[in-house]
Amino acid sequence: MEPRLMNNLRVVLLFFILISSASSENDLDLKFCGVWQHGKGSLSLNVNLSKGCSGISVSANQSALSIEGQITAQCKRANKIQLGLNLKEETPFCLYWDPLLDHLMLQVGGKNLTLCYPASLKGSSCCTDLSNGPNAGEAPYGIKNGTVKTDFISSKTRTHYNFTAQPINCTMLCDQQSQQSTGGNMTERAAVKSFAGWNIEHPCARSSEVEMTEDFRGVNITSPFSKGESAESATTVHLPPALKEAAKKSNKVVCTFFQNNSLFQEVDKEARVLDDVVGITVENEIIANLSEPIRIAFHHDVIPKTHSRSCVSWDTRKDPLQVNWLGDGCEVGQKGEKYTECLCNHLTYFTVLVQLKPRPVRHLLALTAISSLGSAVSVISCVAVIVFLARKSKRCKEASIHIHLGLAVSLACLNLLFFFTGVLANVGGESVCLWVGALLHYSLLCSFAWMGAEIFHTFWLICIIFNPSPKPYVWYTVGFVLPAVPTVILAAVGNVYGVKKVAPSDDINNPYLMCWMKENDKALLAHYFTNMTVTMVLVSSGFVMLFMVYRKIRTRDEWRQNRKAFLSIWGLSCLFGTTWGLTFLDFGPLADFMLFISCILNSLQGFLLMLRFYMLDCLKKESGGSTLGTSSTGSTRQHMLKAQEQGKRDSEQSCSSHPLYVKMQNPFQRK
């Protein structure tokens, strides 16, 4: 009998163990989703939350969605929020509740609204085990297709859903979930968090309190979470003595460490928060502009060099309900592949934000101002050049006039469109930017084509001096018709032109809008095959031609004796588009400097073009009465074939008679 008795005791003991383990497992969080049936017009969100653990109610009517109840340990909120959404009569939504962090979030209309901020709840009571309670009957407006996690409740439209809850000690609940995350089955919890990729390795936040005494000289606080076995890989915070001076009402500083970074993740696939988030607060005080910054050392996975990083803080001024990361008041100190130091002069949540796609642009406001001013100057300058060349074409029949005129027209259109692209993007949106972006791209390709024509014409003067220059219609076909081919093809393909967002490094959430190519794989491919390829060919050809020009003129005395002649080489460099080569030098320690130089020179190309023609015209006027003139019509072929007597007769009808002016118009004339 003893063996049978022992077996029975084992069965009973195992039964109690199973019951106790089952009872210790709580249905931790809540994910309630449904479809809000509402009317047209203004929609609002009513929130009324208080501390306690009686439950929560989600209700809806024709114009408002309401969330009320007592499930929080620290969070209190009572307000009405205008959603500002222009939605159809059916709007899906989801409500997420995590008791371990006292975090309540609503996802509605493509927005993630944080109703209760994440916090550390050590020693508090957590509200969990939320279960579906008594619900209302059917109604024309309300919530339909209600689901809790993966369990479907009802397809009927109901005015409200009620959920009851049970309190439990937060420390006990956190320990239970930590054990489950390392050894238990977390499939269901992982499914709840999968909407944003939540990390369940460390489900709880950890906080440390520091009392700032009268002789406070600063302190270092280390996160309990580390990236490896070594404590040196943990996030550390240095609080400076200046914090004591700034705190007027309280001496207690609370540092909270989070590893569930998706709580702070934005709905933006181009940038994401890496690893730890640190919250630093002083109770009932707003502290900013510290004389000595707070130093936060983050340890993280390797950040590729192609991805830029920035130290950011959670800004609640613009919209306290949404995650809004700003670079204001923070800057990157020391950094490595797995290490980033942030220096911040205020208190809030801090982390490292990595740009996954295009890098944020440093000094975007200054660059935009320079580009706009340069474009305005270039437009005016190009108009002056067009008028000058149009008048000159009536007196002279130089082949180069058509090329100069085409380049001036293209640059005028390019700079004019670029000047207004920001305004048009903000006012017109995608519909307007579809056309403006295509026209801007066409103007850029036209400018490149005419710069290429300048290079080819110079090559023609050097190597093919005994053949006439191509007819004007050939130049116009190359300069205006050929660039239209890729532009029309890309516009027909679609999803290439539109609104482009350029994120500044100091405020990545407030990008500059412009009409250009979109940020997708199709537009990126088009950019490399058209803009980048043409730029590389143009720049390399331009430098080769500039070298050939220099070899032809460097031994001539008249060029050595006149500074204006030397300055004309810069005009040629403008014509040959070599300044666009600076765009390839945007890297290394001189990246910002090269970016500014490139911005200044390229935006002022129209002005440089006008300056060159103005210099040449001044030389002509200064030497108008000179007896030293020799004949020229600007054509190398004429100088190679005509005799001196014929040249004297031609000089009366030529555009100029000064030898230096002639050589600057055509530096390849044989002596």
Side-chain angles (χ1 to χ4, degrees):
M1 294 294 294
E2 287 187 6
R4 182 179 297 178
L5 179 61
M6 291 298 295
N7 289 335
N8 291 337
L9 290 175
R10 289 174 181 172
V11 171
V12 173
L13 181 61
L14 181 60
F15 176 75
F16 278 110
I17 291 175
L18 291 174
I19 291 179
S20 62
S21 64
S23 63
S24 66
E25 293 184 3
N26 300 90
D27 190 9
L28 179 64
D29 41 25
L30 172 70
K31 175 187 176 183
F32 172 68
C33 298
V35 178
W36 177 15
Q37 291 278 114
H38 55 76
K40 297 180 179 179
S42 178
L43 302 176
S44 62
L45 172 66
N46 299 323
V47 181
N48 187 5
L49 299 171
S50 58
K51 298 179 182 179
C53 193
S54 61
I56 189 171
S57 173
V58 183
S59 59
N61 56 33
Q62 184 177 358
S63 60
L65 179 67
S66 301
I67 300 173
E68 302 174 323
Q70 296 179 334
I71 59 170
T72 62
Q74 298 181 4
C75 175
K76 294 188 297 182
R77 180 184 289 273
N79 56 348
K80 182 177 181 179
I81 304 160
Q82 295 297 328
L83 294 177
L85 303 174
N86 186 16
L87 302 172
K88 299 179 180 180
E89 296 182 358
E90 291 187 355
T91 303
F93 73 93
C94 282
L95 181 68
Y96 302 93
W97 163 246
D98 191 336
L100 292 175
L101 297 171
D102 210 34
H103 179 241
L104 184 66
M105 183 173 66
L106 175 68
Q107 192 177 60
V108 58
K111 294 184 176 181
N112 282 353
L113 306 179
T114 302
L115 306 181
C116 289
Y117 298 118
S120 175
L121 302 179
K122 184 177 180 180
S124 302
S125 177
C126 288
C127 198
T128 184
D129 278 338
L130 274 75
S131 57
N132 187 21
N135 300 313
E138 291 189 66
Y141 298 103
I143 303 170
K144 73 173 185 179
N145 298 335
T147 59
V148 175
K149 297 183 180 178
T150 57
D151 298 331
F152 185 77
I153 300 177
S154 174
S155 60
K156 298 179 180 179
T157 302
R158 296 178 174 177
T159 57
H160 63 269
Y161 281 82
N162 296 316
F163 299 93
T164 59
Q166 298 294 328
I168 186 175
N169 182 271
C170 290
T171 304
M172 182 184 303
L173 182 61
C174 185
D175 293 340
Q176 172 185 307
Q177 295 302 317
S178 297
Q179 292 174 4
Q180 289 183 3
S181 65
T182 56
N185 185 1
M186 294 295 293
T187 304
E188 185 177 7
R189 176 167 168 78
V192 174
K193 302 296 186 182
S194 63
F195 84 99
W198 288 18
N199 178 12
I200 60 174
E201 184 178 357
H202 298 288
C204 307
R206 295 286 188 267
S207 62
S208 298
E209 295 182 359
V210 174
E211 190 75 22
M212 296 184 294
T213 59
E214 293 295 332
D215 59 344
F216 181 73
R217 299 182 180 277
V219 66
N220 292 330
I221 304 174
T222 304
S223 168
F225 306 125
S226 61
K227 301 299 176 184
E229 298 180 357
S230 174
E232 295 180 356
S233 63
T235 299
T236 58
V237 177
H238 173 73
L239 302 178
L243 184 58
K244 168 64 178 176
E245 301 173 3
K248 305 298 182 182
K249 301 178 182 179
S250 176
N251 293 325
K252 183 187 295 184
V253 183
V254 179
C255 290
T256 306
F257 299 91
F258 301 89
Q259 280 212 323
N260 195 346
N261 57 28
S262 58
L263 300 172
F264 304 89
Q265 204 72 256
E266 298 178 86
V267 189
D268 185 359
K269 296 182 180 180
E270 297 178 359
R272 75 180 185 92
V273 172
L274 282 189
D275 302 322
D276 299 286
V277 176
V278 178
I280 307 175
T281 58
V282 173
E283 188 176 3
N284 298 324
E285 287 202 53
I286 298 176
I287 296 178
N289 300 319
L290 292 171
S291 59
E292 184 180 355
I294 296 172
R295 297 177 178 271
I296 309 172
F298 290 99
H299 296 266
H300 44 68
D301 296 331
V302 175
I303 299 178
K305 293 182 178 180
T306 54
H307 295 168
S308 64
R309 76 187 82 176
S310 57
C311 293
V312 292
S313 60
W314 191 352
D315 177 47
T316 58
R317 294 169 297 180
K318 184 177 180 181
D319 188 349
L321 295 180
Q322 294 198 68
V323 176
N324 187 32
W325 292 111
L326 289 181
D328 296 346
C330 284
E331 61 181 25
V332 178
Q334 299 179 3
K335 63 180 180 180
E337 287 186 338
K338 296 185 177 182
Y339 171 82
T340 303
E341 181 186 42
C342 294
L343 310 178
C344 303
N345 64 3
H346 59 290
L347 303 186
T348 181
Y349 296 97
F350 303 97
T351 189
V352 177
L353 196 69
V354 174
Q355 199 75 11
L356 301 180
K357 287 192 177 180
R359 295 180 300 167
V361 180
R362 292 166 55 87
H363 315 294
L364 180 60
L365 182 60
L367 291 170
T368 303
I370 292 172
S371 299
S372 299
L373 180 61
S375 296
V377 172
S378 287
V379 170
I380 299 173
S381 302
C382 286
V383 172
V385 171
I386 292 170
V387 174
F388 171 76
L389 292 175
R391 291 180 177 178
K392 185 178 179 181
S393 64
K394 296 178 180 179
R395 305 190 308 268
C396 307
K397 301 302 178 182
E398 298 177 11
S400 60
I401 289 182
H402 299 285
I403 302 175
H404 300 331
L405 190 61
L407 178 58
V409 171
S410 298
L411 287 176
C413 295
L414 175 65
N415 286 280
L416 184 64
L417 288 170
F418 187 81
F419 183 82
F420 289 106
T421 183
V423 176
L424 295 173
N426 284 279
V427 175
E430 286 287 347
S431 58
V432 173
C433 279
L434 174 63
W435 298 98
V436 176
L439 288 175
L440 187 62
H441 188 213
Y442 170 71
S443 299
L444 179 64
L445 294 180
C446 284
S447 300
F448 286 165
W450 283 111
M451 291 175 189
E454 294 279 1
I455 296 174
F456 182 79
H457 184 257
T458 306
F459 171 79
W460 191 279
L461 293 176
I462 294 177
C463 301
I464 320 180
I465 57 177
F466 294 104
N467 290 326
S469 177
K471 299 295 182 181
Y473 74 87
V474 176
W475 299 121
Y476 288 122
T477 301
V478 172
F480 289 127
V481 178
L482 188 61
V485 176
T487 307
V488 172
I489 293 175
L490 292 176
V493 170
N495 200 30
V496 174
Y497 301 114
V499 177
K500 178 180 176 63
K501 297 179 180 180
V502 183
S505 60
D506 56 347
D507 185 2
I508 61 175
N509 294 288
N510 187 25
Y512 172 80
L513 302 182
M514 65 176 294
C515 296
W516 184 235
M517 292 183 172
K518 293 183 177 181
E519 297 178 272
N520 54 47
D521 295 337
K522 191 186 299 183
L524 184 63
L525 189 64
H527 171 68
Y528 279 108
F529 271 96
T530 57
N531 304 331
M532 298 302 291
T533 303
V534 173
T535 303
M536 291 177 63
V537 174
L538 178 68
V539 170
S540 57
S541 302
F543 274 114
V544 171
M545 198 55 57
L546 278 175
F547 178 72
M548 295 176 68
V549 170
Y550 174 73
R551 289 190 61 185
K552 289 289 183 181
I553 68 175
R554 65 188 178 92
T555 58
R556 297 183 180 179
D557 293 336
E558 59 268 28
W559 287 77
R560 295 175 181 173
Q561 297 170 2
N562 198 308
R563 294 181 180 179
K564 292 183 180 179
F566 280 109
L567 290 177
S568 71
I569 202 75
W570 292 100
L572 284 174
S573 68
C574 167
L575 300 183
F576 297 154
T578 51
T579 54
W580 290 91
L582 296 173
T583 58
F584 297 106
L585 302 178
D586 181 20
F587 62 89
L590 297 178
D592 290 346
F593 174 75
M594 298 307 301
L595 190 61
F596 273 94
I597 295 297
S598 173
C599 180
I600 293 171
L601 293 179
N602 289 326
S603 64
L604 290 174
Q605 277 199 329
F607 174 76
L608 296 176
L609 189 66
M610 183 195 71
L611 187 62
R612 179 177 185 271
F613 287 111
Y614 173 77
M615 289 164 45
L616 296 175
D617 195 53
C618 286
L619 285 175
K620 171 187 174 182
K621 292 178 180 179
E622 289 175 3
S623 59
S626 174
T627 60
L628 300 174
T630 58
S631 65
S632 174
T633 63
S635 170
T636 302
R637 189 172 68 91
Q638 288 178 345
H639 285 287
M640 295 295 296
L641 300 178
K642 291 187 178 181
Q644 184 177 4
E645 291 77 14
Q646 181 66 34
K648 290 180 180 179
R649 289 193 297 269
D650 291 340
S651 64
E652 297 177 356
Q653 301 176 352
S654 77
C655 303
S656 63
S657 60
H658 190 277
L660 183 57
Y661 176 75
V662 171
K663 294 183 189 323
M664 292 180 68
Q665 288 281 43
N666 179 19
F668 316 108
Q669 176 184 343
R670 313 278 184 179
K671 286 188 175 181

